[in-house]
Amino acid sequence: MVLEFPKEDYPGSSSYNQGNILDASGDANPPEAWTFNVVEALFEAVVRDTDSGQRDYALFGHSAGGQFVHRFMEFTEENHVRVAVAANAGWYTMPDQDVDFPYGLKNSPLSSKELREAFSRRLVIMLGADDVDPKDTLLQRDRKTDVQGDNRLSRGLNFYQASRDAAREGDDFNWGLMVVPGAAHEHQKMAEAAAPFLLSPR
């Protein structure tokens, strides 16, 4: 199943990439208004309407979808995701309480305890080894994103390492990292690399 978030209904990066966590004024929306809820509601509706016994699902997103997926896994405390793959995200919500949301967690609804719980979920950060063009017109470049790196590969590597560093000793850190050789910002190659994770029953 492919989810589509039309621009008419989800305008701008704040309502899709960032999950509609903030309103137009920069204030936090209530959790029930977050775009992430669409995924869980759809899963529950399909299970109910098909009388299915399915208990979980896999989630994949590339580029802007990769932004959506990694934030979904950070902020959605209760979900039915078995494994999620965030591929070639342009930039990340870093696990840093000193950096303002959405670039970090300062003034976000996510507590330190909830972040540690997020680390226990199965999330794979998947990066194209050749997704290194700092002049890509689709890559957001500004002071806040460039702190994470000047290309998608370096930003993803930095996000994963920062997350590992943020996990306390004894935390259940269940995130993984995969760099795909020969892949740049290419949805098909990344989806093919993600398939074994998405199709595995565990």
Side-chain angles (χ1 to χ4, degrees):
M1 180 181 297
V2 177
L3 293 176
E4 183 176 355
F5 293 87
K7 291 182 179 179
E8 308 82 59
D9 299 323
Y10 300 91
S13 62
S14 61
S15 61
Y16 172 50
N17 307 28
Q18 299 163 33
N20 200 41
I21 292 177
L22 300 181
D23 64 19
S25 302
D27 297 320
N29 282 317
E32 55 267 24
W34 296 356
T35 310
F36 304 136
N37 296 322
V38 173
V39 181
E40 282 291 300
L42 180 60
F43 171 74
E44 292 172 358
V46 170
V47 168
R48 180 186 64 246
D49 294 347
T50 60
D51 196 24
S52 170
Q54 187 70 30
R55 296 182 177 180
D56 56 32
Y57 60 91
L59 188 62
F60 172 78
H62 178 262
S63 196
Q67 292 195 43
F68 179 91
V69 166
H70 92 269
R71 294 186 180 105
F72 178 99
M73 295 301 282
E74 286 178 316
F75 286 89
T76 307
E77 185 174 2
E78 296 183 8
N79 63 65
H80 295 84
V81 176
R82 179 179 70 257
V83 60
V85 178
N88 286 343
W91 56 279
Y92 298 83
T93 295
M94 302 292 283
D96 191 332
Q97 298 287 354
D98 294 324
V99 176
D100 285 329
F101 183 81
Y103 305 95
L105 296 177
K106 185 178 179 181
N107 299 320
S108 83
L110 193 70
S111 68
S112 297
K113 177 178 179 292
E114 290 167 335
L115 177 63
R116 295 198 299 275
E117 291 173 354
F119 288 149
S120 70
R121 300 171 195 138
R122 182 61 176 144
L123 171 64
V124 178
I125 304 301
M126 185 169 287
L127 309 170
D130 296 338
D131 198 355
V132 294
D133 183 2
K135 297 181 179 179
D136 186 335
T137 57
L138 297 177
L139 179 66
Q140 183 172 327
R141 294 293 309 273
D142 54 44
R143 180 175 55 84
K144 293 181 178 179
T145 55
D146 282 1
V147 170
Q148 301 180 13
D150 67 0
N151 61 70
R152 293 186 188 89
L153 175 61
S154 62
R155 291 177 182 183
L157 293 172
N158 288 334
F159 172 69
Y160 179 77
Q161 187 59 54
S163 300
R164 283 193 63 90
D165 292 344
R168 298 181 180 180
E169 185 175 352
D171 282 353
D172 183 9
F173 187 77
N174 204 24
W175 292 11
L177 173 69
M178 181 177 181
V179 178
V180 182
H185 201 63
E186 300 168 274
H187 181 277
Q188 182 173 340
K189 286 185 178 181
M190 301 303 287
E192 290 172 352
F197 294 101
L198 303 175
L199 298 177
S200 172
R202 299 180 65 87

